[in-house]
């Protein structure tokens, strides 16, 4: 249980450090790209992030948008989630059904996203 708490807490710390401080995005962060070492550097627990092949430095607008996306998920706001995702598109209107997408994301969030509360 203590190890699980460390992995979750340290994983959040690392992720937020990358996004908020380093302005860096690991675009393929999943459990297979993380290793827990019970006795890492100096014999202390360590969370190692692997495979930086899909990584990017975010522009200021991308960073704000990504933080807004996380906030929208946290708020359980499907409309804002959809807007933030569409904001990442380089050609938001090119042959896409934006309104249909927004409707489906709102429905998914209403069913699956509970927000912080």
């Amino acid at each position: 249980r203590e190890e699980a708490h460390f992995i979750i807490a340290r994983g959040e710390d690392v992720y937020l450090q990358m996004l908020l401080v380093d302005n860096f995005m690991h675009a393929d962060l999943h459990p297979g790209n993380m290793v827990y070492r019970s006795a890492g550097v100096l014999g202390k627990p360590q969370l190692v992030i692997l495979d930086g092949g899909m990584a990017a430095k975010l522009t200021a607008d991308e960073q704000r948008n990504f933080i807004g996306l996380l906030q929208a998920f946290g708020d359980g706001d499907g409309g804002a989630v959809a807007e933030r995702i569409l904001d990442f598109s380089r050609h938001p209107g090119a042959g896409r059904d934006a309104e249909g997408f927004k409707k489906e994301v709102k429905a998914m969030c209403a069913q699956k996203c509970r927000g912080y509360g």
Side-chain angles (χ1 to χ4, degrees), residues 32-78:
N33 280 340
M34 292 184 260
V35 174
Y36 170 72
R37 295 176 63 192
S38 60
V41 176
L42 303 176
K44 296 181 179 183
Q46 184 178 33
L47 185 62
V48 180
I49 307 296
L50 306 172
D51 189 8
M54 288 179 56
K57 187 151 179 84
L58 301 173
T59 67
D61 285 342
E62 289 169 335
Q63 184 184 36
R64 277 190 297 277
N65 192 52
F66 199 85
I67 292 167
L69 176 63
L70 295 177
Q71 182 68 49
F73 273 118
D75 291 342
D77 183 347

Side-chain angles (χ1 to χ4, degrees), residues 11-56:
E12 287 177 340
D13 290 346
V14 167
Y15 188 76
L16 293 173
Q17 169 80 30
M18 283 191 293
L19 180 63
L20 301 175
V21 178
D22 300 331
N23 198 26
F24 177 79
M25 172 61 105
H26 188 300
D28 192 26
L29 196 55
H30 58 78
N33 280 340
M34 292 184 260
V35 174
Y36 170 72
R37 295 176 63 192
S38 60
V41 176
L42 303 176
K44 296 181 179 183
Q46 184 178 33
L47 185 62
V48 180
I49 307 296
L50 306 172
D51 189 8
M54 288 179 56

